[in-house]
Amino acid sequence: MKTVIKTGKGFSKEVKYIVIDQDNKSCKIVPEELASKQKGQEIISFVKEKLKGYRIELVNPLPLELEIKFLWPQLLYEFKERFPYVNGWLERANLSINEQTLIIEVENRIAHKKLSEPEMLNYLQNRLYYYLEEELKVRIDNGDFLRDIPEVTPEITAKKLLKKEKSVKRQPEENNNIILGREITAKATHTLNQIESEEDGVIVEGQVFEMESFKTKKGGKLFLLDITDNTNSITVKFFINNQDNLKGSLKEGDWVRARGYVQYDQYSKGLTLMARDINTFKPPEKQDEAVEKRIELHLHTRMSAMDSVVDVEEAIKRAADWGHPAIAITDHGVVQAFPDAYQAGKKYGIKVIYGLEAYMVDDGKPIISDPGEGRLYETTFTVFDLETTGLKSNQDEIIEIGAIKVKEGEIIDEYSTFVNPGREIPPGITKITGITDEMVAEAPKIEDVIDDLIEFIGDSVLVAHNAGFDYSFLRAALQKTGKKEERYSLLDTLGLCRALYPELKNHKLNTISEYLGVELTNHHRAVDDARATAYILIKSLAFLKEREIVSLDEINRLTKKIDWKNLPLYHLIILAKNKAGLKDLYRLVSSSHLDHFYRKPRILKSELIFNRENLILGSACEAGQLYRSIVDNKSSREIEEIARFYDFLEIQPIANNRFTWLLSLNRKPFTKENICVII
């Protein structure tokens, strides 16, 4: 078995990855760019220490097309782990490169349709970027390899290819579950992921997800059924000479039990089940055996665009079958499922709770937190900016600090330093900031500079552009170094500029700097960004003075001036308590579509508060304000304040948020193989 592993700290600039062949006890090192032969020997010696008994080889840099083929077995393994229900189409595909596009030519229309789904394309592109550190597009082409079959020619493809013709009479004594051959009374001998070689007497079960039919030159028909049992998939193939040989009807979505022999198919280049007998069956339904039944308060139906294919009646029927007393319908931003839900609730004797997963805009978020009663021109401000190894304060580290002290409209002091993060700086961060590992190699660690920064801040008001981001890293640094977190007043110039300069299309630091005539020479360098933010603050304070806003606590009056279109969206669950609540819910939905629609129907938090008496509010998913505040490392005080807004807090299964790391370009899914060696 071959395993590809990315290198970590120490050799990431010289080595792209290593390929370990555990069967042949060999290891190939694929270089990035070696400074010298001596460096290459150092790497070989290091790997030999880690992989004793292995044959180590440093290969020459490969052309892109050859390198992709070199990586292809690992990519196939990861793809199969992520999408086990997909057939072995990628294993049989032809690969080529054209202008930074990987063209994957697959065998037939079914493979083309399935592999062209956005989730699969994105996954392949992300994994290619992970290994190659190069942006490649992926395109799936239909090579139609089956056109080479000598005995058959394409006829038709349809949802009910095996539908029995009306003129064909069925014998009353026949078993209606039999599609082909005889009844199968034995249990399945294999799950689909257990089929690895040619074998006779195989019985498998699976759900049909594609069907295709071909007419042979001799007048018969070849049928192809693609089935999956969610461990893997396989093509079930059978020939018939007469349509009367089919004893029943079959459609996509049906579960079938097939008996026959597995053989290597020379046309599809993979294992295929040649079926003698095919029966339909109903798989055992999952049961809720809990004594105290749960009530689902977060359910999307097919009315949630691009988020669900669930039929509302089927969902309500399942809840009733499981003995649930009630169920809530919470589609994204809409209420179109309510009429069908009402009818289904009456039909199956279950209470329907009418609700919504809304897109909320917090139009009351303060520009300055804990402002106190200080006067603007008597207050000392510390404007700061941090450069970091990434976006997550609980995982990433500070690499540069810049701070500028402002009082009475003048800059009075400055502080800046690099910080050694204790890890390599990702290439993407270096590209944005220009900060390299060499620049921070001799810099102090955060525990050596945190006291100096705290002393520099003193009792001043902290200021930053998009302050939540920088302050989350400052708080994390205080926590990591065991320092007490002071209760600072925090002014966000992003919110301030949104209120003062609504005419701007966006309020990025460089946009505002250009608008106000502030110099910003080295954007994304801490001290330069902090200095630009300081001058923006000075000009904005003068603007506030013209508006006769003279104290810190008066700044938050400006929140009503902020265009709601520029504010972030948060998900939340809204449930109607009663008929009055249902009316309020309709009012909010109407307003979100008619008055506050911008890309999505938005509900303003101020309107929600005004109408919440007969509503129940829940904190929703990872896109909810509470979840985001925890991820953004906000203070316990802020998190508690946000939590108090909700009537119930939603804790979802961990698997619901698996996508947050699966789709990340710089993170690799955890498997036994890719954590067995760490270099």
Side-chain angles (χ1 to χ4, degrees):
M1 179 178 178
K2 292 183 180 179
T3 303
V4 181
I5 301 173
K6 287 283 284 185
T7 53
K9 186 174 181 180
F11 295 119
S12 63
K13 293 184 178 178
E14 291 87 9
V15 178
K16 277 189 176 181
Y17 48 83
I18 65 173
V19 182
I20 298 174
D21 189 334
Q22 295 167 329
D23 297 327
N24 296 322
K25 293 288 183 180
S26 65
C27 172
K28 292 184 179 181
I29 304 171
V30 180
E32 182 78 61
E33 184 176 346
L34 294 177
S36 63
K37 290 184 178 179
Q38 181 182 355
K39 190 65 175 178
Q41 289 302 317
E42 288 179 13
I43 295 169
I44 291 174
S45 299
F46 182 83
V47 175
K48 279 184 177 179
E49 285 296 316
K50 297 289 182 181
L51 297 174
K52 293 182 179 179
Y54 276 70
R55 186 175 69 258
I56 312 299
E57 179 186 357
L58 187 67
V59 302
N60 293 323
L62 300 171
L64 181 59
E65 187 165 354
L66 288 179
E67 188 169 14
I68 290 173
K69 292 180 179 179
F70 190 61
L71 286 169
W72 198 241
Q74 175 73 13
L75 293 170
L76 288 178
Y77 174 80
E78 294 178 9
F79 192 85
K80 192 173 180 180
E81 286 284 305
R82 177 67 180 84
F83 305 103
Y85 52 87
V86 174
N87 212 324
W89 294 313
L90 288 179
E91 297 172 7
R92 304 187 289 272
N94 296 324
L95 307 179
S96 61
I97 291 288
N98 183 21
E99 296 181 353
Q100 293 301 105
T101 298
L102 171 61
I103 301 169
I104 303 175
E105 190 180 38
V106 294
E107 62 195 15
N108 56 31
R109 181 188 61 81
I110 299 173
H112 177 262
K113 176 182 175 182
K114 287 295 179 183
L115 293 173
S116 296
E117 292 177 359
E119 184 181 9
M120 297 188 185
L121 287 177
N122 290 339
Y123 184 81
L124 282 172
Q125 288 176 181
N126 291 347
R127 301 316 295 154
L128 286 166
Y129 181 87
Y130 175 80
Y131 287 114
L132 301 174
E133 296 181 1
E134 188 170 349
E135 293 281 1
L136 287 177
K137 292 182 179 179
V138 176
R139 191 179 84 208
I140 308 295
D141 284 356
N142 181 8
D144 195 13
F145 302 161
L146 290 175
R147 67 178 181 270
D148 299 326
I149 298 177
E151 290 297 320
V152 301
T153 54
E155 185 191 40
I156 54 170
T157 299
K159 295 293 182 184
K160 296 184 179 179
L161 289 170
L162 306 186
K163 185 76 176 176
K164 193 74 172 169
E165 293 182 8
K166 292 182 180 179
S167 59
V168 178
K169 295 182 179 180
R170 185 183 310 229
Q171 298 300 323
E173 67 275 12
E174 287 183 345
N175 186 331
N176 290 342
N177 292 331
I178 297 176
I179 303 298
L180 178 73
R182 298 178 300 171
E183 183 179 5
I184 305 171
T185 57
K187 294 182 179 179
T189 59
H190 299 70
T191 57
L192 295 184
N193 65 341
Q194 293 173 333
I195 296 177
E196 298 179 346
S197 61
E198 293 186 339
E199 188 175 353
D200 198 0
V202 172
I203 301 174
V204 298
E205 297 174 347
Q207 187 175 29
V208 178
F209 63 89
E210 284 286 353
M211 302 193 304
E212 212 165 4
S213 168
F214 297 90
K215 186 175 182 179
T216 68
K217 292 180 179 179
K218 295 180 180 180
K221 278 192 176 182
L222 164 66
F223 289 95
L224 304 178
L225 308 180
D226 284 330
I227 67 171
T228 180
D229 63 357
N230 296 320
T231 67
N232 204 345
S233 61
I234 196 170
T235 298
V236 177
K237 181 185 292 188
F238 62 94
F239 290 91
I240 61 169
N241 295 321
N242 189 325
Q243 185 76 10
D244 291 341
N245 293 140
L246 293 178
K247 302 177 182 179
S249 60
L250 190 66
K251 61 183 183 299
E252 289 180 14
D254 284 346
W255 282 81
V256 297
R257 184 178 292 116
R259 177 166 54 197
Y261 59 94
V262 176
Q263 70 172 21
Y264 181 79
D265 188 89
Q266 61 176 319
Y267 303 109
S268 63
K269 308 301 182 185
L271 294 174
T272 301
L273 178 69
M274 299 299 298
R276 301 187 187 98
D277 310 303
I278 299 177
N279 298 177
T280 58
F281 74 99
K282 289 186 177 180
E285 291 188 353
K286 191 173 182 179
Q287 300 296 320
D288 182 355
E289 298 178 353
V291 176
E292 184 178 352
K293 303 297 185 181
R294 70 191 298 272
I295 296 177
E296 179 58 63
L297 298 179
H298 190 142
L299 175 71
H300 300 310
T301 75
R302 61 182 56 165
M303 296 302 176
S304 290
M306 303 298 289
D307 198 49
S308 177
V309 294
V310 173
D311 178 79
V312 66
E313 181 176 351
E314 290 181 5
I316 291 173
K317 180 181 182 302
R318 176 59 58 88
D321 290 343
W322 284 350
H324 295 187
I327 187 170
I329 308 299
T330 58
D331 281 314
H332 278 300
V334 297
V335 294
Q336 285 102 318
F338 285 6
D340 289 339
Y342 172 77
Q343 295 296 336
K346 289 181 63 178
K347 180 177 179 180
Y348 297 108
I350 186 171
K351 177 181 176 62
V352 175
I353 303 170
Y354 299 99
L356 179 80
E357 182 166 4
Y359 302 104
M360 182 187 73
V361 171
D362 189 353
D363 56 334
K365 186 177 180 181
I367 297 170
I368 180 171
S369 60
D370 297 317
E373 297 180 355
R375 299 182 68 80
L376 291 177
Y377 270 78
E378 295 173 0
T379 299
T380 301
F381 299 92
T382 297
V383 184
F384 76 108
D385 185 83
L386 305 175
E387 301 302 332
T388 63
T389 59
L391 302 177
K392 298 181 179 179
S393 60
N394 59 344
Q395 296 178 6
D396 296 301
E397 303 291 340
I398 297 170
I399 56 176
E400 187 181 23
I401 300 172
I404 305 292
K405 194 163 283 188
V406 173
K407 188 174 183 180
E408 296 179 356
E410 299 288 340
I411 292 176
I412 60 173
D413 204 355
E414 182 176 308
Y415 173 86
S416 66
T417 182
F418 283 122
V419 180
N420 188 331
R423 65 171 73 170
E424 288 186 336
I425 299 173
I429 298 298
T430 296
K431 186 176 181 180
I432 293 171
T433 65
I435 301 173
T436 64
D437 291 327
E438 291 74 17
M439 294 167 69
V440 300
E442 302 300 324
K445 293 186 178 297
I446 189 64
E447 55 264 28
D448 299 323
V449 300
I450 192 68
D451 287 332
D452 294 338
L453 179 60
I454 292 172
E455 183 179 352
F456 183 83
I457 295 171
D459 60 356
S460 62
V461 172
L462 280 176
V463 182
H465 199 72
N466 190 16
F469 174 83
D470 296 280
Y471 193 54
S472 70
F473 275 90
L474 177 58
R475 181 183 295 109
L478 293 170
Q479 293 167 349
K480 291 171 185 176
T481 56
K483 303 297 180 183
K484 180 183 177 182
E485 181 186 344
E486 300 294 337
R487 188 164 178 170
Y488 294 109
S489 295
L490 182 65
L491 172 62
D492 190 353
T493 51
L494 176 60
L496 182 62
C497 291
R498 281 172 172 166
L500 295 180
Y501 317 114
E503 62 274 18
L504 293 178
K505 183 175 289 188
N506 67 69
H507 295 84
K508 298 177 182 178
L509 185 62
N510 55 343
T511 303
I512 299 167
S513 296
E514 182 179 353
Y515 181 75
L516 295 179
V518 170
E519 184 179 357
L520 178 58
T521 52
N522 294 309
H523 191 22
H524 295 302
R525 286 298 301 273
V527 71
D528 295 281
D529 285 356
R531 188 179 295 111
T533 305
Y535 281 116
I536 289 171
L537 175 67
I538 291 169
K539 289 178 177 286
S540 297
L541 291 175
F543 197 3
L544 291 174
K545 188 176 182 180
E546 292 176 7
R547 294 191 175 192
E548 298 182 348
I549 295 175
V550 296
S551 64
L552 292 172
D553 58 348
E554 290 178 318
I555 292 176
N556 284 331
R557 295 180 187 174
L558 297 171
T559 54
K560 59 185 178 182
K561 301 287 186 181
I562 298 176
D563 188 348
W564 53 267
K565 294 179 183 177
N566 294 325
L567 296 175
L569 284 180
Y570 299 107
H571 291 203
L572 88 159
I573 298 295
I574 307 176
L575 304 175
K577 289 183 184 180
N578 45 38
K579 287 186 178 180
L582 187 59
K583 185 176 181 180
D584 291 335
L585 184 62
Y586 285 152
R587 184 182 295 111
L588 289 168
V589 170
S590 298
S591 176
S592 70
H593 282 81
L594 298 175
D595 303 324
H596 300 115
F597 191 96
Y598 178 65
R599 297 177 180 169
K600 293 183 184 296
R602 304 174 183 227
I603 292 178
L604 304 188
K605 190 173 184 178
S606 57
E607 287 191 6
L608 184 58
I609 292 172
F610 182 77
N611 290 280
R612 73 170 296 171
E613 181 180 354
N614 293 298
L615 301 174
I616 301 172
L617 307 183
S619 59
C621 57
E622 53 80 34
Q625 191 173 20
L626 179 63
Y627 193 110
R628 298 313 315 165
S629 68
I630 295 170
V631 171
D632 294 340
N633 196 31
K634 293 189 180 297
S635 68
S636 299
R637 176 173 45 83
E638 290 177 273
I639 293 171
E640 289 172 6
E641 184 178 342
I642 292 170
R644 278 195 291 269
F645 175 72
Y646 299 100
D647 298 304
F648 69 94
L649 306 181
E650 187 170 343
I651 302 175
Q652 295 186 342
I654 293 174
N656 278 31
N657 300 315
R658 187 167 177 258
F659 72 93
T660 61
W661 58 267
L662 264 179
L663 300 182
S664 176
L665 289 178
N666 61 357
R667 188 170 299 192
K668 187 176 180 181
F670 296 111
T671 66
K672 292 179 181 178
E673 286 71 24
N674 65 36
I675 63 173
C676 63
V677 178
I678 300 173
I679 295 181

